[in-house]
Amino acid sequence: MEEIKVLGAGLAGCEAAWQIAQRGGKVVLYEMKPEKFSPAHQSPGFAELICSNSLKAARLDSAAGLLKEEMRRLGSLLVDCAEKCRVPAGGALAVDRGTFSRLATEAIEGHPNITVRREEAPAIPEGPVVTATGPLTSGALAGEIEKLCGGALSFFDAAAPIVAAESLDMGKCFAASRYDKGEGDYLNCPMNKEEYERFVEALLGAERAPVHSFDARDPKVYEGCMPVEVLAGRGRDALRFGPMKPVGLRDPRTGHRPWAVVQLRTENRENSLYNLVGFQTNLKFGEQKRVFGMIPGLEQAEFARFGVMHRNTFLHSPGLLAADFSMLERPELFFAGQITGVEGYMESAASGILAGINILRRLRGQETLVLPETTMMGALSRYISGYEGKDFQPMGANFGVLPPLSEKIRDKRQRYMALAERALASVDWESARA
């Protein structure tokens, strides 16, 4: 059988290569790091996490939890890696990102059916290919994809800063998860009304970094990764109803709910680094230190990584891709990952699972796997291939993309669990995994 080429060793590329190799297919995996890095990547390892170390909720009655369970049942490599290096994060599955990348890299490089080439693919090769080069696809390859697909959808994406735990004033923070879920897995920095209003005023007046090599005249900022300064500009209380919402938390010093709160989530098992949850930003580095230093407990914070902003490029997948992630006009060419219009770490990995399974099935003359729309993976694949609206936007896992239940269930948690149970019961997972 002809070798299958996979371009890119991010989350989607790793899953695609793994699924092919585990089923007996031969893979040549191209990864340009460490020869060349994108503006957002720093590590030579595979499956590098950029924005956050959280893979979202783990419980089954959540959209993210259901997605991961479906992936697990299809033999996901990365869900397994995540479970092996998880760190405390309340009801979320968060990982030590360095260990996560190492485990994925070792698994891929050690597989006998995978040959890794540490070089940039300048063009899409002939024959069977999974293109999983991500939303930061570079150079000539990006141009070729755009030409092949008749244009692309571009917008701006941002990452949150990370601070050193030893530099925090723990006397001003308190450990707790919302509604006491988990075991105090987040550090919370509470603000009263006056502190919050001063912070918002400083944030709105802070100087933003120039956006080089982009058309910054009218940037589209994706709602799911909104820079905190952009969100603050939507109204004085926008942050209090967004990443700084105080609901489900009580300050032990006062016995009351804070006016606003900044949550910090651990980045590694040693709890030596913390991510500012929801604080994606494009402020200049000095401004980040000044403005975020106004957050109680962060006055002397040392930044292990400042927030950054970069452009993401997505295909206008409806009309270009089928629900099995193959290109309609070139069936042996598959796309996977955020470049297809799925949004999120696990969503990208899930698309890689389906692309890997399906390209091998196609080569073997078998019917490709399209999961029912009652599953989260099936609903997302139908979204990117069959969206009929005027403004196609990336989509992450959410229960709104699933068909409604036939019966009315008023309790939200019970309704979500019923949707999850229906999804898992709607597929013969052993046959799908074969």
Side-chain angles (χ1 to χ4, degrees):
M1 180 183 291
E2 188 174 0
E3 287 183 329
I4 298 172
K5 297 178 176 64
V6 176
L7 311 185
L11 279 75
C14 283
E15 284 286 17
W18 184 258
Q19 298 300 322
I20 296 165
Q22 285 291 89
R23 290 164 175 77
K26 297 294 185 180
V27 179
V28 179
L29 175 63
Y30 289 82
E31 171 52 52
M32 69 179 188
K33 299 188 302 181
E35 179 182 296
K36 183 177 181 180
F37 287 88
S38 79
H41 290 85
Q42 301 176 355
S43 165
F46 298 165
E48 182 182 359
L49 303 181
I50 302 299
C51 257
S52 165
N53 70 322
S54 174
L55 306 181
K56 300 182 183 177
R59 65 183 190 277
L60 187 58
D61 61 351
S62 69
L66 172 59
L67 177 68
K68 287 190 277 291
E69 179 58 28
E70 293 175 3
M71 294 170 63
R72 184 181 292 109
R73 294 188 180 204
L74 289 176
S76 169
L77 167 66
L78 297 182
V79 170
D80 181 58
C81 291
E83 293 288 357
K84 291 177 179 176
C85 62
R86 68 185 303 166
V87 297
L93 174 58
V95 301
D96 181 315
R97 58 174 100 199
T99 305
F100 178 78
S101 177
R102 176 178 60 78
L103 291 173
T105 304
E106 289 175 352
I108 293 295
E109 291 185 330
H111 201 292
N113 288 343
I114 301 175
T115 300
V116 175
R117 292 187 180 174
R118 292 278 192 166
E119 59 188 72
E120 183 178 12
I124 298 176
E126 295 296 325
V129 179
V130 177
T131 301
T133 48
L136 295 175
T137 300
S138 64
L141 183 58
E144 182 181 349
I145 292 172
E146 186 168 356
K147 182 178 179 181
L148 180 68
C149 298
L153 169 67
S154 298
F155 61 88
F156 289 79
D157 198 2
I162 296 173
V163 294
E166 63 182 6
S167 67
L168 305 178
D169 185 346
M170 295 299 183
K172 297 181 178 180
C173 309
F174 64 93
S177 298
R178 295 190 194 280
Y179 303 106
D180 295 322
K181 294 179 180 178
E183 300 182 4
D185 297 331
Y186 292 82
L187 287 181
N188 299 276
C189 304
M191 290 185 181
N192 58 34
K193 183 177 181 181
E194 182 181 355
E195 289 170 330
Y196 173 78
E197 291 181 346
R198 285 203 307 266
F199 173 74
V200 171
E201 189 69 30
L203 187 61
L204 291 173
E207 189 175 0
R208 303 179 188 183
V211 184
H212 296 296
S213 70
F214 307 115
D215 182 0
R217 292 169 294 181
D218 184 27
K220 295 181 181 180
V221 182
Y222 176 50
E223 296 288 333
C225 216
M226 178 73 63
V228 66
E229 62 272 13
V230 174
L231 181 58
R234 293 186 170 184
R236 291 286 172 166
D237 285 325
L239 293 176
R240 291 185 62 240
F241 288 90
M244 295 180 69
K245 61 181 180 290
V247 296
L249 295 168
R250 190 174 297 276
D251 187 344
R253 297 176 303 174
T254 65
H256 301 292
R257 188 176 78 176
W259 183 256
V261 70
V262 177
Q263 286 200 306
L264 309 181
R265 181 180 55 238
T266 185
E267 277 285 314
N268 54 16
R269 286 177 169 173
E270 296 77 21
N271 297 332
S272 61
L273 297 173
Y274 281 86
N275 184 296
L276 277 66
V277 178
F279 267 61
Q280 299 86 3
T281 183
N282 189 44
L283 297 184
K284 286 188 171 182
F285 291 173
E287 291 288 77
Q288 290 184 44
K289 191 171 183 64
R290 178 181 69 84
V291 177
F292 297 155
M294 297 174 66
I295 298 170
L298 272 66
E299 293 87 349
Q300 304 299 322
E302 296 177 6
F303 287 76
R305 185 192 74 187
F306 287 102
V308 294
M309 186 171 175
H310 50 269
R311 185 182 70 182
N312 280 353
T313 302
F314 289 77
L315 306 179
H316 194 282
S317 294
L320 291 173
L321 301 183
D324 61 8
F325 290 91
S326 66
M327 191 171 182
L328 293 170
E329 295 185 0
R330 185 176 161 183
E332 80 283 5
L333 173 59
F334 286 70
F335 284 87
Q338 289 196 57
I339 198 170
T340 67
V342 296
E343 192 281 321
Y345 289 147
M346 289 290 96
E347 290 86 343
S348 297
S351 71
I353 290 174
L354 292 175
I357 291 172
N358 283 329
I359 194 169
L360 191 59
R361 286 192 174 202
R362 178 149 292 159
L363 288 179
R364 290 174 172 173
Q366 301 171 336
E367 184 179 356
T368 56
L369 175 65
V370 177
L371 295 173
E373 63 181 353
T374 50
T375 64
M376 192 59 66
M377 292 174 73
L380 289 174
S381 66
R382 279 172 169 79
Y383 172 82
I384 65 98
S385 61
Y387 178 79
E388 296 179 348
K390 294 181 179 179
D391 186 21
F392 177 68
Q393 290 283 326
M395 180 66 71
N398 67 90
F399 282 119
V401 299
L402 301 183
L405 296 164
S406 57
E407 71 276 20
K408 296 287 185 180
I409 302 177
R410 299 190 65 178
D411 182 84
K412 184 170 69 172
R413 291 289 293 271
Q414 291 179 9
R415 184 169 67 253
Y416 288 171
M417 181 58 77
L419 287 167
E421 290 173 345
R422 182 187 67 177
L424 298 177
S426 65
V427 176
D428 179 348
W429 296 99
E430 286 301 318
S431 297
R433 184 171 177 167

